[in-house]
Amino acid sequence: MNTVKEKILVLDFGGQYNQLIARRVRDNNVYAEIKPYTASLDEIRAENYKGIIFTGGPNSVFDMSSPHYDKAILDLGIPVLGICYGCQLICFMKDGRVETAETSEYGKIDITVDKKDSLLFEDIPDSVVWMSHTDRIVEVPEGFEITAHSDACPVAAMENADKGIYAVQFHPEVTHSQYGSRLLSNFIFNICGCSGDWKMEGFIENTVNSLREKIGDKKVVLGLSGGVDSSVAAALLSKAVGNQLTCVFVDQGLMRKDEGDFVEKTFTTMFDMNFVRVNCGHEFVGKLKGVVDPEEKRNIIGTEFYNVFWNKIREESDGGFFAQGTIYPDCIESGKGDADKIKTHHNKVKMPDDIKFDDVIEPLRDLFKDEVRKVGELLGIPRELVWRQPFPGPGLGVRIIGEITEEKIRVLQEADAVLRDEIKKSGIENELSQFFVVLPDVRTVGVMGDHRTYDHLVAIRAVTTDDFMTADFARIPYDVLAKVSNRIVNECPNVNRVVYDITSKPPGTIEWE
Ligand code: XMP
């Protein structure tokens, strides 16, 4: 059952920005859903879309093996906006002329708006747009007029306003297109007549309904890491099917202080589900004994985690579905978004061959991180989990340099807890993208009271960044650093020195291993 009143369809022709288009529509408080171009006309007709956006794609409309669509879609009376390949496709479907240009047009390009009273270009002056194409329209179909052009592209935009068909050769969805957001909202409101009253609550309601429909009375198993994404997926599934859901939480002993208990308490007290916790910290440390090479440590932690997790799933699973908290950026990272091949289903789970489920469920796969956080807040997940900073899969394992021992884990957890506490109290938490303590395998001489000490050194790492690809060390005020240092050496046994990492990335990485 679909309860969203107003929806825009993003018809996917394989472009790399499809999810971004949907997200930009949602930013206007209008729900957007993506369907592959293989969706049938009847299916589209049945959904009462307020508008349809044809996405870009890597193909050429001349190549008949590339995605095409039933021309009748342009006669449904639903406004259509074609973007890039979608623009050429409209031209092709309506018997205009598309040709392959000698040189591609790529990057930021100036366009001139030719039709000042176009509803699509309302309040949009001549401006910069993002182009990425080789084919171009040279003759618009009958009934269409050119609404914008660039030096190299005679038809940067065209429309048949009477029929509600609009097309742009450029990408309004990327931020490089100066008035791209305005153009999309012009389409949504001026042309499709949407009212913009959709809220994230609508996504939750819709997703919960379709999860119930799909899962029926079967079981569903979810791997819960305690991170934002799997936590939000768990809460959504719990809302949908309650204790038909089993969450498997593997605590490999490498989480931050008390974190495993916090995750368990949150999900066992606030949500209806079966919560299975596997405590295997001891075994992990055993496997890591004597290992100092960072890659080898990562491998061991990864392999061990995989084995423990799937062994537990073998015990817990009783057919049904396997769920995971994949979000949209995970799909790009694993190749989906950039693929020049259209995929209608993407399954990243490397499942052992002997484990079988009816299907994999990824309820957050269309959302971006900030949207996932919003869903999490609405579902009542504690702030600490929803706004949790990134935490590496191998956990504290990559923050203890050299051999990992239970004693070192404890020292690091204590020091890290002090840092987190002081940063929270100082009120600068929101200014930092990530902050943590590292335990290098270094001991230094110190003096405490009248005694000489020879104890651990810990390092504070704190960064600011937008994308984690580059980062700067955070300028934490000295008085906050002083408090952290003072508390760590006083409260954490076996630590007698605190240093602050002032390396940016590059050349350093954020983590030390
Ligand atoms: P680096 O150290 O590469 O980290 O600058 C960039 C971001 O990625 C996180 N990170 C990891 N996350 N598994 C993960 O899930 C890992 O092995 C891993 N290594 C680094 C890191 O915390 C930072 O946010």
Side-chain angles (χ1 to χ4, degrees):
M1 188 179 48
N2 206 320
T3 51
V4 176
K5 285 195 305 255
E6 255 180 15
K7 282 189 299 184
I8 298 281
L9 168 66
V10 176
L11 196 60
D12 182 355
F13 288 97
Q16 56 181 316
Y17 300 127
N18 305 345
Q19 299 287 345
L20 194 54
I21 297 171
R23 195 254 151 82
R24 296 275 180 253
V25 176
R26 293 196 295 267
D27 284 346
N28 285 282
N29 294 328
V30 173
Y31 188 64
E33 66 189 14
I34 301 174
K35 282 192 190 283
Y37 75 97
T38 47
S40 74
L41 198 57
D42 282 345
E43 202 178 327
I44 291 176
R45 217 183 263 121
E47 293 283 348
N48 284 324
Y49 291 112
K50 298 284 280 183
I52 301 173
I53 299 178
F54 291 0
T55 74
N59 307 71
S60 177
V61 289
F62 309 120
D63 175 1
M64 287 318 286
S65 66
S66 64
H68 284 72
Y69 201 84
D70 189 338
K71 288 179 186 178
I73 194 169
L74 300 178
D75 298 319
L76 292 178
I78 305 172
V80 173
L81 172 66
I83 295 176
C84 196
Y85 176 83
C87 167
Q88 294 155 15
L89 188 64
I90 290 173
C91 181
F92 184 83
M93 286 162 125
K94 286 288 190 189
D95 302 319
R97 208 152 63 82
V98 180
E99 68 171 26
T100 301
E102 270 170 31
T103 50
S104 303
E105 201 179 24
Y106 182 79
K108 289 183 179 176
I109 305 285
D110 288 309
I111 55 156
T112 304
V113 178
D114 299 306
K115 190 183 176 197
K116 306 288 182 208
D117 61 348
S118 162
L119 288 178
L120 191 67
F121 283 93
E122 188 179 274
D123 289 334
I124 300 182
D126 298 348
S127 46
V128 172
V129 297
W130 184 258
M131 292 273 199
S132 171
H133 66 113
T134 307
D135 288 355
R136 61 180 189 175
I137 295 170
V138 284
E139 203 178 304
V140 299
E142 208 184 312
F144 280 73
E145 60 186 316
I146 298 172
T147 50
H149 72 274
S150 72
D151 283 350
C153 188
V155 187
M158 64 173 191
E159 69 184 39
N160 179 338
D162 291 343
K163 295 261 183 211
I165 306 172
Y166 296 78
V168 292
Q169 181 53 67
F170 52 90
H171 288 275
E173 69 277 21
V174 303
T175 50
H176 305 301
S177 289
Q178 232 179 330
Y179 288 87
S181 311
R182 177 66 207 228
L183 187 140
L184 287 172
S185 63
N186 284 345
F187 177 68
I188 295 164
F189 298 113
N190 291 354
I191 297 164
C192 302
C194 293
S195 55
D197 58 3
W198 176 80
K199 299 267 176 298
M200 213 28 124
E201 285 88 340
F203 168 85
I204 296 176
E205 196 183 333
N206 222 27
T207 308
V208 163
N209 285 337
S210 47
L211 285 171
R212 279 189 190 139
E213 214 168 279
K214 180 164 181 133
I215 297 166
D217 57 4
K218 294 192 174 172
K219 303 264 192 223
V220 52
V221 180
L222 173 90
L224 185 70
S225 69
V228 183
D229 309 338
S230 62
S231 296
V232 175
L236 256 181
L237 282 155
S238 160
K239 192 170 164 72
V241 296
N243 64 10
Q244 285 164 254
L245 168 69
T246 298
C247 286
V248 174
F249 171 56
V250 176
D251 184 347
Q252 24 53 324
L254 296 166
M255 298 189 84
R256 288 170 291 199
K257 188 183 177 190
D258 299 332
E259 203 164 26
D261 295 344
F262 179 67
V263 171
E264 177 171 354
K265 185 161 167 251
T266 301
F267 287 98
T268 50
T269 57
M270 293 183 61
F271 298 96
D272 190 18
M273 64 173 66
N274 303 303
F275 186 91
V276 178
R277 177 171 174 176
V278 189
N279 285 320
C280 48
H282 206 59
E283 289 81 348
F284 267 60
V285 171
K287 297 273 178 192
L288 289 162
K289 198 169 165 47
V291 182
V292 295
D293 178 71
E295 281 314 300
E296 205 181 327
K297 281 200 278 188
R298 262 200 165 77
N299 265 336
I300 292 172
I301 296 170
T303 309
E304 220 19 51
F305 188 91
Y306 184 91
N307 293 337
V308 172
F309 179 71
W310 288 111
N311 283 341
K312 199 68 198 170
I313 296 283
R314 270 187 199 93
E315 282 172 30
E316 295 296 326
S317 107
D318 185 12
F321 297 91
F322 179 71
Q324 56 181 3
T326 321
I327 68 168
Y328 177 60
D330 301 331
C331 300
I332 320 180
E333 277 154 27
S334 59
K336 184 229 177 211
D338 290 323
D340 61 1
K341 177 162 107 235
I342 294 179
K343 293 185 205 120
T344 53
H345 183 74
H346 179 74
N347 180 353
K348 286 187 303 59
V349 191
K350 271 213 222 108
M351 214 180 271
D353 290 339
D354 63 305
I355 297 186
K356 301 269 183 276
F357 285 98
D358 291 2
D359 202 357
V360 174
I361 296 177
E362 296 171 316
L364 307 174
R365 57 170 299 131
D366 291 339
L367 300 191
F368 287 74
K369 195 79 170 191
D370 57 326
E371 294 179 307
V372 172
R373 289 203 160 108
K374 189 137 189 230
V375 172
E377 281 182 338
L378 289 169
L379 289 168
I381 301 175
R383 259 195 83 77
E384 258 174 282
L385 275 178
V386 172
W387 290 97
R388 187 189 197 237
Q389 53 177 297
F391 189 63
L396 300 183
V398 291
R399 295 180 182 167
I400 294 172
I401 316 303
E403 186 187 15
I404 296 169
T405 62
E406 287 186 19
E407 186 250 352
K408 287 186 194 170
I409 296 172
R410 237 184 344 267
V411 170
L412 180 54
Q413 282 177 332
E414 293 299 332
D416 189 69
V418 170
L419 175 71
R420 285 164 64 200
D421 186 43
E422 283 302 324
I423 293 290
K424 198 170 178 180
K425 284 186 190 151
S426 72
I428 60 166
E429 194 170 4
N430 292 342
E431 293 163 34
L432 309 180
S433 308
Q434 200 172 1
F435 54 94
F436 51 88
V437 173
V438 178
L439 187 73
D441 205 10
V442 172
R443 279 164 209 261
T444 68
V445 173
V447 54
M448 259 187 190
D450 293 330
H451 300 284
R452 175 188 187 274
T453 57
Y454 187 59
D455 267 327
H456 284 292
L457 169 156
V458 298
I460 296 169
R461 180 63 162 153
V463 295
T464 53
T465 173
D466 287 329
D467 56 8
F468 295 88
M469 308 292 283
T470 60
D472 197 4
F473 76 89
R475 296 341 189 231
I476 298 182
Y478 276 174
D479 54 349
V480 178
L481 287 173
K483 240 186 227 154
V484 173
S485 163
N486 197 29
R487 275 192 59 194
I488 288 178
V489 291
N490 279 299
E491 293 174 28
C492 306
N494 308 109
V495 179
N496 67 358
R497 190 177 298 269
V498 180
V499 296
Y500 189 36
D501 180 351
I502 53 168
T503 324
S504 61
K505 173 185 177 177
T509 50
I510 295 173
E511 302 289 348
W512 276 32
E513 275 197 343

